[in-house]
Amino acid sequence: MAYSDFTLTSLRRAFELSFDEQIDLFATVSAVAVSDLLQVVLSEHIPLALAIHTEKARSELLIVPILVEVRRLLQRRISLFSGVDFTVAPERSLNGVCDYVLSGSPEQLVVTFPVVMMVEAKNDNIKGGLAQCMAEMLAA
């Protein structure tokens, strides 16, 4: 079983989780100004990504430029990985390929901890990707 095979029910059962949907984790996070370059890139890429209308197009045209901007804002002190194996505990089904991983190290050869995981919503379905996202968060 891989990260993407989990459901909310199986995840809750396997890891004895409880969900709190009322907490706003980002209420105190301040906005950050992005570069003019990212603004130009996104203004060009958004209509194209919408026209192509595939997960791959959204990934390449929208998500990756934003993550590269995050890395730039952090003076390249973090690393960015896309489509990497992140097997942590296969005996607990915490294994599989992750969409995106940000690592707290500038090293690009291997993923090192701490990490932040990002999961793309599959088929425009945010709710459907929650279990995969939570499983990857547990692995992180």
Side-chain angles (χ1 to χ4, degrees), residues 56-70:
K56 186 167 175 45
R58 286 188 299 273
S59 171
E60 293 171 348
L61 295 169
L62 305 177
I63 297 170
V64 170
I66 291 169
L67 294 177
V68 169
E69 176 77 355
V70 168

Side-chain angles (χ1 to χ4, degrees), residues 11-50:
L11 197 61
R12 184 184 299 222
R13 191 176 309 120
F15 295 96
E16 300 176 12
L17 300 177
S18 62
F19 305 139
D20 184 346
E21 299 177 44
Q22 305 305 313
I23 296 175
D24 184 355
L25 294 175
F26 304 103
T28 61
V29 176
S30 302
V32 175
V34 298
S35 69
D36 292 338
L37 175 61
L38 180 62
Q39 291 178 39
V40 169
V41 166
L42 290 179
S43 69
E44 180 75 23
H45 288 193
I46 289 172
L48 183 57
L50 292 173

Side-chain angles (χ1 to χ4, degrees), residues 10-140:
S10 66
L11 197 61
R12 184 184 299 222
R13 191 176 309 120
F15 295 96
E16 300 176 12
L17 300 177
S18 62
F19 305 139
D20 184 346
E21 299 177 44
Q22 305 305 313
I23 296 175
D24 184 355
L25 294 175
F26 304 103
T28 61
V29 176
S30 302
V32 175
V34 298
S35 69
D36 292 338
L37 175 61
L38 180 62
Q39 291 178 39
V40 169
V41 166
L42 290 179
S43 69
E44 180 75 23
H45 288 193
I46 289 172
L48 183 57
L50 292 173
I52 296 172
H53 195 62
T54 64
E55 183 179 316
K56 186 167 175 45
R58 286 188 299 273
S59 171
E60 293 171 348
L61 295 169
L62 305 177
I63 297 170
V64 170
I66 291 169
L67 294 177
V68 169
E69 176 77 355
V70 168
R71 186 171 176 266
R72 186 196 64 77
L73 286 168
L74 295 171
Q75 288 99 36
R76 296 173 182 82
R77 290 179 299 191
I78 65 169
S79 53
L80 167 61
F81 299 90
S82 174
V84 294
D85 179 70
F86 194 73
T87 298
V88 173
E91 70 283 357
R92 299 199 69 194
S93 297
L94 296 178
N95 59 278
V97 174
C98 295
D99 293 331
Y100 304 100
V101 178
L102 292 177
S103 168
S105 162
E107 188 176 297
Q108 281 296 150
L109 294 174
V110 295
V111 177
T112 56
F113 292 94
V115 295
V116 173
M117 317 303 281
M118 281 145 287
V119 176
E120 291 182 60
K122 305 304 183 218
N123 301 316
D124 295 329
N125 182 357
I126 297 287
K127 196 172 185 181
L130 286 177
Q132 178 181 345
C133 183
M134 290 178 194
E136 290 184 21
M137 288 171 62
L138 284 167

